[in-house]
Amino acid sequence: MTDSDIEITADLVRELLREQHPDLAGLAVREVAGGWDNQQWRLGEELAVRMPRTERAPGLQRKECRWLPVLAPRLPLPVPTPVRTGEPSARFPKPWTVMTWVPGEPLDHTSISRGDHAADALAGFLNALHAVAPDDAPAGSDRGARPGTYADGFDHLFRTVAPVGIADGLRAVWDDAVAAPGWEGPPLWVHGDLHPANVVVSDGTLSGVIDFGDLFAGDPAWDLAAAWVVLPEGAAPRFFDVYEHADEATIRRARGLAVLKSLFLMLMGRNGDEGLPGGKPAWGPAGRAALDRVLRGGPT
């Protein structure tokens, strides 16, 4: 999943800044734990350098640089926005970016204590984001279609990590999502990857949303799954009351997608526990808790 041939260090980041953005080179550089497609480094207090480490990462960065300046002004929570771009060079053969830093702690390393406030914040954010996308907006790559499209992936996750005691319930939620009518409205802007590592928390509530690499135009159910994947127990009803625009079919798809996303979190957690590449130990408990929230019911 990563390009292990390129060692990305603080010294390399400083050298690239000196070469291409010398006015930023005097700021402190320190590594940020986590990341998937990109390795991230804090740059001073207000910026971050994102260094791609997978084959698909440069394309995701280009997408963010193209569309986040368009979307950010209308979003009620802070999101990273591009400040500078770095060109491929002899030192580092891929493009890279300097983005604004979104303060807060990723949810996979903390918790939400103000559930009602977080539900309002997430609903307000998605209401603002879920506008009709333009014709040249990006399409989904490995996500965005109806749940049934991902039956093979679901079956693999289900066989691998679904807890035995709740497996039948999870399968029922998934089957219901597959049977639900598909999205019939115009393609809307969708973050596409809302899970605990991609939202940040301050003072017990949501304070920002990060990692828009999977941004696409399509079915908002992919984001509405966050009612269970991100928000704490009991917050989903309030979230859907504030969001207002989700019909029954969309909520059914969102619940099934929440199961899919939560099983993936559990798999990454197990991989982390076993020391496998790409594993995230903190994601396992987050995924398991989300499954319980899904099974305790829908938004009403």
Side-chain angles (χ1 to χ4, degrees):
M1 289 182 291
T2 61
D3 187 344
S4 58
D5 293 334
I6 303 172
E7 183 181 6
I8 304 172
T9 65
D11 287 340
L12 173 62
V13 173
R14 292 189 191 96
E15 291 169 359
L16 293 172
L17 289 168
R18 289 191 193 103
E19 289 179 351
Q20 300 191 33
H21 300 289
D23 59 314
L24 302 179
L27 297 173
V29 176
R30 55 194 186 278
E31 187 173 5
V32 179
W36 190 277
D37 291 291
N38 300 287
Q39 187 170 346
Q40 188 163 228
W41 299 78
R42 288 288 299 273
L43 182 61
E45 295 302 316
E46 298 181 353
L47 301 174
V49 180
R50 301 183 74 198
M51 306 291 292
R53 58 181 180 184
T54 65
E55 291 185 2
R56 74 176 198 146
L60 302 182
Q61 288 198 16
R62 285 192 294 271
K63 185 197 301 186
E64 290 183 306
C65 288
R66 167 66 179 88
W67 292 108
L68 280 175
V70 175
L71 297 173
R74 71 165 182 251
L75 299 177
L77 291 176
V79 301
T81 54
V83 175
R84 306 282 180 87
T85 57
E87 298 299 325
S89 67
R91 292 185 184 276
F92 190 74
K94 298 179 181 180
W96 46 279
T97 58
V98 179
M99 310 284 284
T100 56
W101 175 257
V102 178
E105 187 77 7
L107 181 56
D108 60 335
H109 288 88
T110 186
S111 60
I112 292 172
S113 59
R114 299 164 61 195
D116 285 350
H117 189 283
D120 292 352
L122 181 62
F125 177 84
L126 292 180
N127 267 323
L129 176 63
H130 289 169
V132 176
D135 292 341
D136 58 342
S141 54
D142 59 349
R143 65 197 72 199
R146 292 180 62 169
T149 306
Y150 308 94
D152 290 344
F154 176 85
D155 288 342
H156 170 71
L157 292 169
F158 185 83
R159 291 191 303 268
T160 305
V161 294
V164 174
I166 61 173
D168 289 346
L170 299 178
R171 172 63 74 176
V173 171
W174 174 255
D175 288 345
D176 184 63
V178 171
W183 176 249
E184 297 180 352
L188 305 183
W189 279 118
V190 177
H191 178 283
D193 199 24
L194 289 177
H195 61 72
N198 287 343
V199 298
V200 296
V201 173
S202 300
D203 299 322
T205 189
L206 291 182
S207 59
V209 177
I210 59 176
D211 196 348
F212 284 73
D214 288 301
L215 181 75
F216 67 87
D219 181 358
W222 283 84
D223 282 351
L224 300 180
W228 300 279
V229 177
V230 168
L231 295 177
E233 179 69 29
R238 184 182 181 107
F239 167 82
F240 282 104
D241 284 345
V242 175
Y243 181 81
E244 292 186 335
H245 306 305
D247 60 19
E248 179 186 358
T250 301
I251 294 171
R252 290 165 63 191
R253 295 193 307 278
R255 286 189 73 207
L257 292 168
V259 173
L260 179 69
K261 290 169 177 275
S262 299
L263 290 175
F264 178 76
L265 292 175
M266 289 189 65
L267 178 63
M268 291 299 100
R270 191 190 71 172
N271 288 350
D273 292 340
E274 296 177 356
L276 298 175
K280 309 283 185 181
W283 289 15
R288 182 63 178 83
L291 291 177
D292 288 336
R293 293 192 291 268
V294 171
L295 290 180
R296 290 191 181 105
T300 58

